[in-house]
Amino acid sequence: MTEVGETVLFGWLILAVVMHLLWMWQKKTGRAGFVDVAWSLGTSALAIGFCVVGSGLQERRLILGVLMGLWGMRLTVHLWNRLSREKEDGRYESYRKEKGQKAADRFYMIFFQMQAVFALIFASPILVAAYTPEDAELQTLDYIGIGIWVLALLGESIADRQLENFRKNPENRGEVCRVGLWAWSRHPNYFFEWLHWFAYVAIGWHGEWRYLTLFGPIAMLLFLFKFTGIPITEKQALRSRGEKYEKYQREVSVFFPLPPKGS
């Protein structure tokens, strides 16, 4: 087995064990939402590991490691703080109520293990970038990638803060957040998270396997629109806010920030 294959297998095995232990913990506590924390932390740790063992230009691997480390730290802290303050994430709680505890536990056992696979999938563009040819010096695309990363993390941080401040106000209970970026997109945090993955496309666009870096933003878009992102979040919002959220859906873009209809 090649060095790259051994690194990937070793990283996946560690995450698989961590996810199994977390699944056992959620069976006792009913807090499945913390799997999101484990995913963000695991993805960034795996990506940093790829940067350490990569054979590409050291400066580029250092940049990639720092960017993924900061991304993972911000998202992990944000999710941890939110889950520590609140009860179980509404998405997981709704599934548990609909299917029952035993059925939910069986599903979560598979779902948690899939998070280890997903972490590997989303760390793969960094793996490709970390193995770009050592003689490929830092170029304009690398700095463009850093610029995309800064813009995306800033936008996502602002969106998260705006939503958090909105929810803290008791007067907004049952209302739909239309503050700041949330007046232009129903999911600005998701949009900037997706944009963030293009940073690694730009930084990794120097090697023979450059097209594989596109897997990050493509996979994230599919996940957001088809699996764990927008469909589940909107279903929960419609259940809790009803007609107010239906009006929000009619007037505000689902993903890309655009002027609201009628503005």
Side-chain angles (χ1 to χ4, degrees):
M1 182 179 293
T2 64
E3 178 185 348
V4 175
E6 291 176 352
T7 302
V8 170
L9 179 60
F10 184 66
W12 169 75
L13 285 173
I14 292 177
L15 290 179
V17 171
V18 171
M19 289 299 178
H20 182 73
L21 294 175
L22 186 61
W23 172 75
M24 294 177 64
W25 177 79
Q26 74 82 30
K27 285 184 65 178
K28 297 181 179 180
T29 62
R31 300 301 304 272
F34 279 96
V35 70
D36 296 335
V37 176
W39 175 83
S40 62
L41 186 60
T43 302
S44 60
L46 192 58
I48 291 172
F50 290 159
C51 293
V52 172
V53 302
S55 60
L57 185 70
Q58 184 175 3
E59 290 84 350
R60 183 173 288 113
R61 289 189 286 120
L62 178 60
I63 291 172
L64 287 166
V66 169
L67 295 185
M68 277 302 294
L70 291 174
W71 167 82
M73 182 173 63
R74 190 211 73 85
L75 184 57
T76 298
V77 171
H78 169 72
L79 292 172
W80 179 273
N81 289 339
R82 179 169 64 82
L83 289 168
S84 298
R85 289 194 308 269
E86 302 174 1
K87 297 180 179 179
E88 172 69 311
D89 189 302
R91 296 171 297 169
Y92 300 108
E93 183 64 26
S94 296
Y95 187 87
R96 191 178 284 111
K97 289 181 179 179
E98 291 176 6
K99 304 296 183 179
Q101 184 65 47
K102 291 185 178 179
D105 284 340
R106 288 194 297 268
F107 171 75
Y108 289 150
M109 181 176 64
I110 300 173
F111 180 74
F112 276 40
Q113 285 304 312
M114 288 303 299
Q115 298 308 304
V117 177
F118 296 156
L120 185 61
I121 289 173
F122 283 105
S124 61
I126 289 79
L127 174 66
V128 173
Y131 277 89
T132 53
E134 192 172 4
D135 58 357
E137 299 294 331
L138 294 179
Q139 303 172 24
T140 302
L141 270 178
D142 294 289
Y143 299 109
I144 291 175
I146 295 173
I148 293 173
W149 185 92
V150 171
L151 174 63
L153 266 289
L154 181 63
E156 189 172 3
S157 298
I158 291 173
D160 286 338
R161 179 58 60 86
Q162 289 172 341
L163 181 61
E164 182 179 354
N165 291 338
F166 180 85
R167 288 175 171 174
K168 283 181 178 179
N169 189 341
E171 296 180 0
N172 294 328
R173 185 178 299 276
E175 299 295 327
V176 177
C177 179
R178 289 178 178 248
V179 176
L181 293 169
W182 298 86
W184 289 61
S185 169
R186 301 204 299 271
H187 304 280
N189 52 343
Y190 288 164
F191 168 77
F192 284 109
E193 174 61 28
W194 170 72
L195 180 65
H196 147 262
W197 292 95
F198 281 98
Y200 312 115
V201 175
I203 297 173
W205 204 255
H206 305 291
E208 182 179 356
W209 302 96
R210 63 174 65 92
Y211 294 104
L212 293 180
T213 60
L214 292 169
F215 197 74
I218 291 173
M220 179 57 68
L221 197 65
L222 288 174
F223 273 78
L224 290 177
F225 274 91
K226 297 297 183 181
F227 301 109
T228 62
I230 292 173
I232 297 177
T233 302
E234 298 232 324
K235 182 180 179 180
Q236 178 67 20
L238 285 169
R239 185 183 295 112
S240 60
R241 294 171 178 83
E243 293 182 1
K244 294 179 181 179
Y245 199 81
E246 290 179 357
K247 184 173 185 291
Y248 186 51
Q249 287 179 315
R250 293 192 298 268
E251 297 176 351
V252 177
S253 168
V254 62
F255 189 64
F256 294 98
L258 296 171
K261 295 179 181 179
S263 63

